[in-house]
Amino acid sequence: MGSIGQPLKRKEDHRFLTGRGKYTDDIVRPNQAYAYFVRSPYAHAKINGIDKAEAEKADGVVAIFTGADLEGIGGVPCGWQIHNKDGTPMAEPPHPALCTDKALFVGDEVAIVIAETKAQAKAAAQLVMVDYEPLPAVSSIKAAIAEGAPLVHADAANNRCFDWHLGEKDPVDAAFAKADHVVEMDVVNNRLVPNAMEPRSAICEYDPSSDMTTLWTTSQNPHLIRLLLGAFVLQIPEHKLRVIAPDVGGGFGSKIYLYAEETVVTWAARKLARPVKWTAERTESFQADAHGRDQIGHARLALDKDGNFLGLHIKNKANMGAYLSTFAPAVPTYLHGTLFAGVYKTPAIYVEVEAVFTNTAPVDAYRGAGRPEATYQLERLVDKAAAQLGMDKIELRRKNMIPKEAFPYQTPVALQYDTGDFIACLDLGLKSADWDGFEARREEAKKRGKLRGIGISTYLEACGIAPSALVGQLGARAGLYESATIRVHPTGSVTVFTGTHSHGQGHETAFAQIVADHFGVDFEAVDIQHGDTSQTAFGMGTYGSRSLAVGGSAIVKAADKVVAKGKKIAAHLLEASEADIEFEDGKFTVKGTDRSKTFGEVALTAYVPHNYPIEEVEPGLEETAFYDPKNFTYPGGCHICELEVDPETGMIEVCNITVADDVGRVINPMIVEGQIHGGVAQGVGQALYEGCIYDDDGQLLTGSYMNYTMPRAADLPMMTVGNHVTPCTHNPVGAKGVGEVGSIGVTPAVINAVVDALSPLGVKDIEMPATPQRVWAAIRAAQG
Amino acid sequence: MQVTITVNNRSITRDVEARTLLVDFIRGELALTGTHVGCDTSQCGACTVLVDGKSIKSCTMLAVEADGHEVSTIESLEKNGELHPMQAAFRECHGLQCGFCTPGMVMSTVDLLQNNANPSEPEIREWLEGNICRCTGYHNIVKAVQHCASGTKGA
Ligand code: FES
Ligand code: FES
């Protein structure tokens, strides 16, 4: 009995496997028109005028709107405000939904063309004549901060968005002053394109008779979209705006944000009183989805003569792109700077981050969001320290790790870790990867002419976001609790409404396992509903590995309320005092007796209240709970990568990936492993394959699958996933979150393995992605 | 132009514009939305269907080219309420997460096993060269295909 911990097959699979999933682009509304966006071909240009006369005459055109038509509506807002070192707020230039006088990146939305068919909209878009006056552009962090660089926004001097810091500088300076060794390195976190396989899409319908606007959209958080779009941009009251995120084909962060496209589609559908649909072509996804990573930085680590970490100084620069996306400022700051203690007891840490605007697509959270960047920097630095000090890289890590007796552990960078056992994860990882047997494998590979390397990363991340009061102090303009409503039906089956959103994570299954066990009902008797603002009380959605830790906790809270009410009803039925009623395995029992009522009997009584304590208890059995987390959660562990380099070609073959993670209590191990596999693939992608490149003029060179390398089946090995559980101490599920660990932990392990493989040749570092060309060049350079 | 295409064993005659892609015909005209569009450069494989039994990217073919041919989409695999063994294997092995690449993955690997009843792991990975999945890391997709192959062996 009990489904928690069982690898139950997923409830959602049948519809996906039979082609019955309902994604946004599958939705067809009567009389719908199609939208196509005219986008800037320049990274930076003044718009002197737009002539739409010709286009308006084209076949099937319904309407064409430009920025001038949108006058009076709000810009696309940013949801997080960071403050500079001096206490002043960040630069926050406006983001008009359609460009008005200037276009700021290639793909910036200039006009929307709406026609009877998609082909007609696209054809007419070619006829919209925009008089662009190209301006000099900055397409990288380095270009943006160069002396005399062109400004992306006139009111953001030096292209600076903010200049932020965390931790205390003086103790760090003191640590370096007394250090026996200082290890330092420059690190680049390459820019990535999230590439959920389902392109973004939106279809909006307005019903003038009820004044109701319904937007179906590819969103990870429909309530957040309703709030931002309704209250901040279009001034539609919440009760007149319904946002539905149906089946969504992956998000990885890119579908959190309010974008210009769904904003304009919604506005246009209301204006025309006609459904308007837009679906991105992949080229548009590359151009206009929020990108990820894109940081450069310098890290310095102070150590004593025995290799104990004394202090860490981080000085980073982050690219925000042309406009501030919804969560962008949080990514290189509170989701990043707070991570630099990692699994280590470094006593003094100081982090400085400068964020800049460039003429590129907005950059925001992508799977891991700030934490992969920090982890990569830290774990590369630790490997470098081991090499420089001539110490074993495992021993150096082990000796600096926070021991399990030290929890709760306060870091010098704001976080307080509740629990964990880093050494146990390390040992588990080393054992399952057969770390000790590696040298023999290296020798064997050598005989085949291959350079074999092994790399490790021991890491921790902070997720399950987040305590509302805390993030409010840090600049969030929203709370980060979650809601759940549990509706027990008269015969004891259950519908759960969650404010989180599942776009691959299997909530319909894992959440049902929690509820089934809580009530002692059959797993099949529980249904999970999500994604429709008209159904769920409220919700902050799914990102930051929060759904189980925060959303699942809201479900447990609501379930507790159901049981509490059930006890009152059962006490009445059993003629006992409420305090004497126990609930276990689906039965309300009078303590110490065999007198009991089943969950189903109590539910039926609640809806057929003939014999009922009607004075004290309302009929019905439905409860809503909001859960606000007390702390972040801290999953972590150890990732090991083994690979072989062909020195002739620079080609890398990843031989195996071993994961030993602690993600807290596991509800469905099959889903947990799947989440890790997917995250690892994206992490390996960053390390070896993926890189988004703009040329100096801001043209996107990697704008399709022809030139942006997505990891494919043949690029990845089978993975070994192990688990060492220490349950989260502060939420009722005990879960820590698993969505992002893969992409956070594995990337440095891969690069550490590449460097390990090449180290016999004298290579000390390699930039991501470690493409064959880069590896080949590094080998040649090292050989002189 | 008029085309007659047998889609999922049903003969369908329609007027289409010459430029209509097979995938748009399937999704738009026939409302068979299980076949997906994930890219505009014929590389993701989300649109994979069988044409005369062979896997084809339906974004790479015009509807008029399918005139007189047989097309099977993901909707045709389940028979009498029973999943096709490949669908069942994907479910069993958790070979899908968001489900967006899944119809293409299933149609493609159904074709793989028609060609090679017992493919090795590298052969499976090689075959999936034209299908991108962003969610699963391919691990469980490969396992699903192996699982299906072992189940159908000798059948
Ligand atoms: S949509 Fe056909 S290959 Fe991508
Ligand atoms: S399951 Fe989401 S892309 Fe494959």
Side-chain angles (χ1 to χ4, degrees), chain A residues 490-723:
Chain A
T491 56
S493 65
V494 183
T495 305
V496 180
F497 301 88
T498 170
T500 66
H501 187 276
S502 186
H503 28 281
Q505 297 89 340
H507 297 172
E508 290 167 42
T509 304
F511 289 180
Q513 290 179 254
I514 294 176
V515 174
D517 280 19
H518 207 101
F519 293 150
V521 300
D522 193 61
F523 168 68
E524 296 301 338
V526 183
D527 252 3
I528 308 295
Q529 297 289 333
H530 61 93
D532 183 345
T533 58
S534 75
Q535 287 197 340
T536 306
F538 198 72
M540 296 311 297
T542 288
Y543 42 81
S545 306
R546 69 193 302 276
S547 295
L548 185 57
V550 188
S553 294
I555 290 173
V556 169
K557 248 183 104 176
D560 284 340
K561 287 187 183 178
V562 167
V563 169
K565 182 168 178 179
K567 280 184 178 171
K568 288 192 169 71
I569 300 168
H572 177 88
L573 293 176
L574 295 165
E575 295 172 341
S577 110
E578 189 190 327
D580 288 339
I581 303 290
E582 282 174 337
F583 182 69
E584 222 184 281
D585 294 341
K587 271 200 205 126
F588 295 91
T589 309
V590 182
K591 228 179 268 176
T593 75
D594 59 0
R595 290 192 304 128
S596 68
K597 290 284 172 192
T598 64
F599 183 76
E601 287 171 315
V602 167
L604 190 62
T605 308
Y607 286 95
V608 188
H610 295 161
N611 173 17
Y612 201 77
I614 202 81
E615 295 297 325
E616 299 104 66
V617 187
E618 293 168 15
L621 198 51
E622 171 167 335
E623 296 288 348
T624 294
F626 282 67
Y627 174 79
D628 201 89
K630 296 182 185 69
N631 190 352
F632 292 85
T633 54
Y634 303 99
C638 158
H639 289 198
I640 295 171
C641 172
E642 207 167 312
L643 48 74
E644 285 184 8
V645 179
D646 182 336
E648 298 302 319
T649 62
M651 292 283 288
I652 290 174
E653 186 193 343
V654 181
C655 305
N656 54 58
I657 302 273
T658 306
V659 171
D661 275 341
D662 175 2
V663 299
R665 186 153 166 246
V666 171
I667 305 299
N668 184 319
M670 176 190 83
I671 292 175
V672 162
E673 279 197 28
Q675 289 294 306
I676 292 173
H677 294 155
V680 163
Q682 284 171 286
V684 174
Q686 174 172 18
L688 299 182
Y689 307 115
E690 300 178 42
C692 174
I693 299 165
Y694 286 92
D695 72 8
D696 290 345
D697 297 326
Q699 287 299 327
L700 178 62
L701 300 184
T702 50
S704 81
Y705 292 141
M706 312 274 281
N707 32 39
Y708 184 94
T709 311
M710 290 284 279
R712 301 197 182 229
D715 298 325
L716 293 161
M718 285 307 202
M719 307 169 200
T720 308
V721 176
N723 210 345

Side-chain angles (χ1 to χ4, degrees), chain A residues 9-10 14 17 23 25-26 119 194-195 197 282-283 366 674 677-678 690 705-706 711-713 716 719, chain B residues 19 27 33-34 36 38 40 43 74 78 87 92 94 96-100 125 129 134-139:
Chain A
K9 304 305 167 217
R10 299 199 318 169
H14 189 270
L17 282 164
Y23 300 88
D25 188 61
D26 300 341
N195 272 306
M197 290 318 297
R282 182 58 60 184
T283 305
Y366 163 62
H677 294 155
E690 300 178 42
Y705 292 141
M706 312 274 281
R712 301 197 182 229
L716 293 161
M719 307 169 200
Chain B
R19 65 177 169 188
R27 287 181 57 79
T33 54
H36 296 151
D40 46 12
Q43 279 167 321
I74 187 74
E78 191 185 28
Q87 292 172 310
E92 184 63 30
H94 190 31
L96 66 156
Q97 290 182 23
C98 79
F100 197 79
R125 290 183 184 275
E129 206 265 318
R134 192 54 149 171
C135 296
T136 63
Y138 306 99
H139 182 109

Side-chain angles (χ1 to χ4, degrees), chain A residues 234-313:
Chain A
L234 299 179
Q235 276 78 51
I236 309 170
E238 274 110 322
H239 68 300
K240 292 296 182 192
L241 176 58
R242 177 180 178 191
V243 179
I244 303 172
D247 286 328
V248 172
F252 315 114
S254 68
K255 292 172 181 166
I256 299 172
Y257 325 116
L258 178 65
Y259 285 93
E261 289 90 351
E262 61 256 31
T263 304
V264 179
V265 162
T266 304
W267 179 86
R270 284 162 57 86
K271 175 102 182 159
L272 299 172
R274 190 172 167 182
V276 176
K277 179 180 193 170
W278 165 78
T279 299
E281 295 179 346
R282 182 58 60 184
T283 305
E284 297 180 273
S285 313
F286 273 101
Q287 290 182 348
D289 284 6
H291 293 175
R293 317 285 191 258
D294 204 350
Q295 285 191 19
I296 56 176
H298 186 74
R300 290 163 66 225
L301 179 65
L303 303 96
D304 71 11
K305 62 178 189 328
D306 301 320
N308 294 303
F309 301 167
L310 302 177
L312 178 65
H313 185 192

Side-chain angles (χ1 to χ4, degrees), chain A residues 752-764:
Chain A
N752 284 342
V754 176
V755 173
D756 182 61
L758 301 181
S759 61
L761 306 178
V763 174
K764 292 197 167 66

Side-chain angles (χ1 to χ4, degrees), chain A residues 154-441:
Chain A
D155 48 358
N158 304 315
N159 289 317
R160 181 180 285 166
C161 176
F162 57 78
D163 183 18
W164 171 91
H165 66 163
L166 180 70
E168 288 178 55
K169 186 166 184 297
D170 291 347
V172 173
D173 288 344
F176 279 91
K178 68 169 186 217
D180 297 299
H181 304 279
V182 173
V183 180
E184 52 191 313
M185 76 187 303
D186 290 318
V187 163
V188 178
N189 262 286
N190 43 329
R191 185 175 179 122
L192 304 175
V193 183
N195 272 306
M197 290 318 297
E198 178 204 24
R200 282 191 294 123
S201 178
I203 172 165
C204 183
E205 181 169 34
Y206 176 64
D207 175 4
S209 57
S210 62
D211 192 28
M212 185 59 127
T213 303
T214 305
L215 170 67
W216 290 263
T217 183
T218 47
S219 176
Q220 301 176 217
N221 33 238
H223 283 87
L224 196 67
I225 296 301
R226 186 183 65 171
L227 182 66
L228 293 173
L229 188 60
F232 292 96
V233 186
L234 299 179
Q235 276 78 51
I236 309 170
E238 274 110 322
H239 68 300
K240 292 296 182 192
L241 176 58
R242 177 180 178 191
V243 179
I244 303 172
D247 286 328
V248 172
F252 315 114
S254 68
K255 292 172 181 166
I256 299 172
Y257 325 116
L258 178 65
Y259 285 93
E261 289 90 351
E262 61 256 31
T263 304
V264 179
V265 162
T266 304
W267 179 86
R270 284 162 57 86
K271 175 102 182 159
L272 299 172
R274 190 172 167 182
V276 176
K277 179 180 193 170
W278 165 78
T279 299
E281 295 179 346
R282 182 58 60 184
T283 305
E284 297 180 273
S285 313
F286 273 101
Q287 290 182 348
D289 284 6
H291 293 175
R293 317 285 191 258
D294 204 350
Q295 285 191 19
I296 56 176
H298 186 74
R300 290 163 66 225
L301 179 65
L303 303 96
D304 71 11
K305 62 178 189 328
D306 301 320
N308 294 303
F309 301 167
L310 302 177
L312 178 65
H313 185 192
I314 301 290
K315 212 167 160 52
N316 285 352
K317 296 190 170 44
N319 192 344
M320 295 282 99
Y323 303 105
L324 287 179
S325 174
T326 311
F327 281 138
V331 175
T333 53
Y334 291 106
L335 294 174
H336 176 69
T338 49
L339 256 279
F340 278 103
V343 294
Y344 309 114
K345 49 192 184 198
T346 317
I349 302 174
Y350 182 58
V351 183
E352 299 173 271
V353 179
E354 182 183 352
V356 301
F357 293 109
T358 59
N359 294 110
T360 64
V363 181
D364 204 325
Y366 163 62
R367 202 170 195 168
R371 292 154 285 159
E373 294 91 316
T375 303
Y376 180 69
Q377 222 170 346
L378 192 57
E379 287 302 293
R380 286 289 298 126
L381 190 63
V382 172
D383 251 34
K384 183 162 187 203
Q388 192 171 319
L389 272 63
M391 284 183 70
D392 180 80
K393 51 189 116 171
I394 305 299
E395 286 324 304
L396 181 63
R397 283 178 167 85
R398 196 186 288 278
K399 92 183 298 174
N400 283 289
M401 273 181 182
I402 300 161
K404 72 168 188 252
E405 308 76 52
F407 295 101
Y409 179 82
Q410 179 64 50
T411 74
V413 274
L415 300 177
Q416 191 187 70
Y417 304 161
D418 62 331
T419 176
D421 190 345
F422 308 135
I423 288 172
C425 286
L426 172 64
D427 287 334
L428 177 63
L430 294 174
K431 187 156 173 267
S432 49
D434 185 24
W435 183 276
D436 291 340
F438 173 72
E439 286 308 325
R441 298 193 291 279

